[in-house]
Amino acid sequence: MKIDKVLVAYDGSDVSEKAFDMGVDLCLKYSAGLIVLSVVRPPEPPTAVETQAVLDSVTEYYREKFKDLQDKAREAGIEPRFEIRVGHPAEQIVFMADQEAVQMIVMGHRGGGSFLQLWRLGSVARRVQNYAHCTVVVVR
C-alpha cells in the first residue's frame, strides 16, 4: 500500500491525541505528508451572534492546541498542515479526504451519548468509515 498523505481528525480529546501520534508514526514510516483537521460544529439552531462567538472561541482553542501538536511533529521531523473547517464533522472529514486525495484517515473513537442516540444518529467515526474513499483507522 502506497501512502502519500494521512489525514488526522483532531477534536482535542485524549483519543484524538492518540490518533495524532499514530498519524505521525505512519507518516514517518511511509514518508507521507500529514494534514490535521479540526471541525467546528455550529450551534443548532444557529443565530448569527451565537454562531460567530462559538466559531471564534473554538477556532482559538484549536489554534492553541495546534501549537503543541506542531512542536510534537517537528520533534519527529514532520511538518503537518493544520486546517479548521466549519460543519458536520463526518461530512467535513470525508470531504477533505476526497479533496486532498489522502490514502488514510486516522481518527479517535468517542462513543459519546446513549446507545439509542448512537444507534439512531451514528457516530462520527462510523459515518467516516462508511463514506470515505480510503482506509480509515479508528483509535481507541
Side-chain angles (χ1 to χ4, degrees), residues 101-121:
V102 302
Q103 288 77 37
M104 184 176 290
I105 299 169
V106 182
M107 61 188 302
H109 179 270
R110 287 199 5 141
S114 70
F115 174 77
L116 183 60
Q117 287 172 319
L118 290 174
W119 181 76
R120 276 187 60 223
L121 302 174

Side-chain angles (χ1 to χ4, degrees), residues 37-57:
L37 172 65
S38 292
V39 180
V40 179
R41 191 173 201 159
E44 294 177 16
T47 62
V49 174
E50 183 180 320
T51 298
Q52 194 56 50
V54 168
L55 296 179
D56 290 346
S57 174

